[in-house]
Amino acid sequence: MVMTYLMGRGDTYRSHHYASIYWSSFVSALLAKFPHITVDASELCIATGQQQDAQGDHGVDRDTGETAGGTDTVTLDADATGRLIAKCQVTDYVLRGEALSHLNVIEFFTNTYEVNKVTRHNGEATTGAMHTRPSTEQRMALSTARQRGRPRHERVDYDQTHPRFKEKHRIVRREGHHTLPNFIGRYFPARDHPNPSSFYCTSMLMLLKPWRSLATDLKESSDTWQSAFN
């Protein structure tokens, strides 16, 4: 434990890693699409104590820059041309690649993660920085090293309409990974009533059912939220 701390690996050991899911962003998108859904004040409680050590001193996640508070926070990013883009997990999920279309919200953020795309030129990898062309011997050694290592993780591009399609893509984690979801924001509504509320049913459908359009994919137009959930 002492050596681990001195080497900068922290003073705690965890058997799992955690993927942050900013549930408030999804709830806001849901209520914007279905403003007629009645929401009890108790169903909008804020979960601020979940995995606080994954955040900075002001409740800002170190990886995504989003907050765990009740207000919606817009995180700005810049593309390769310097154009500012609003970063949003709802957009990432809706515009996921076709190979990931079968994943629900939990599966998408726990089974995959976002990285920068790597451009390869004749066996050379670069992310846009200055680079030097490798020699033939270096390319052969690199090819041999790849054959010796573990199989490469599957890469899946976002949909071409995604604002970061050219710069980002998702890597699929291998089966048996130790990543769990860490929900930040509002608590899930409790199912402690014989007749679950519409907000509870829509929240669970949005969480557990794969979708791309909230307006059409969660239920048939002739169904109620309760019947669609049951």
Side-chain angles (χ1 to χ4, degrees):
M1 179 66 76
V2 174
M3 289 303 298
T4 301
Y5 185 77
L6 292 176
M7 293 176 68
R9 298 179 180 174
D11 55 1
T12 59
Y13 172 80
R14 297 195 190 110
S15 60
H16 292 74
H17 301 285
Y18 296 92
S20 296
I21 300 177
Y22 288 86
W23 188 239
S24 295
S25 300
F26 288 88
V27 173
S28 296
L30 178 69
L31 296 180
K33 184 62 64 176
F34 303 105
H36 62 278
I37 293 179
T38 302
V39 182
D40 187 84
S42 62
E43 295 180 308
L44 292 179
C45 295
I46 306 303
T48 58
Q50 300 179 6
Q51 295 293 332
Q52 288 295 324
D53 54 355
Q55 303 170 359
D57 296 335
H58 301 286
V60 179
D61 188 272
R62 297 189 181 99
D63 296 327
T64 66
E66 298 190 50
T67 66
T71 58
D72 294 326
T73 299
V74 177
T75 303
L76 296 179
D77 203 351
D79 61 13
T81 64
R83 181 169 57 95
L84 291 179
I85 299 172
K87 182 175 177 61
C88 177
Q89 285 191 332
V90 178
T91 301
D92 292 344
Y93 180 72
V94 170
L95 299 180
R96 64 195 185 279
E98 188 63 30
L100 305 177
S101 60
H102 63 287
L103 300 181
N104 61 32
V105 170
I106 295 181
E107 294 168 337
F108 177 74
F109 289 106
T110 56
N111 295 344
T112 74
Y113 59 97
E114 182 184 88
V115 297
N116 292 324
K117 284 186 175 181
V118 176
T119 304
R120 297 186 179 277
H121 301 283
N122 297 326
E124 172 191 5
T126 175
T127 56
M130 295 297 294
H131 53 275
T132 304
R133 179 183 294 273
S135 64
T136 301
E137 292 78 7
Q138 288 174 325
R139 291 198 297 270
M140 292 178 62
L142 180 61
S143 177
T144 302
R146 286 179 186 148
Q147 293 174 3
R148 294 173 182 169
R150 290 184 295 180
R152 188 171 184 259
H153 286 269
E154 180 183 2
R155 268 72 170 169
V156 180
D157 287 342
Y158 284 111
D159 184 85
Q160 293 187 11
T161 58
H162 192 282
R164 299 302 302 274
F165 168 75
K166 295 182 178 180
E167 293 88 24
K168 304 283 187 180
H169 58 188
R170 309 290 298 193
I171 291 184
V172 180
R173 291 187 171 96
R174 292 189 177 93
E175 292 186 6
H177 66 78
H178 295 149
T179 302
L180 296 175
N182 172 35
F183 291 95
I184 300 175
R186 297 180 172 95
Y187 284 116
F188 292 107
R191 185 179 185 181
D192 54 1
H193 193 278
N195 184 25
S197 67
S198 295
F199 181 56
Y200 171 83
C201 295
T202 52
S203 296
M204 294 301 101
L205 287 169
M206 180 171 60
L207 176 68
L208 302 175
K209 181 179 181 179
W211 55 272
R212 288 190 185 274
S213 170
L214 287 172
T216 60
D217 294 344
L218 295 187
K219 74 177 185 68
E220 299 293 336
S221 58
S222 58
D223 291 338
T224 65
W225 291 113
Q226 286 78 4
S227 63
F229 177 67
N230 294 329

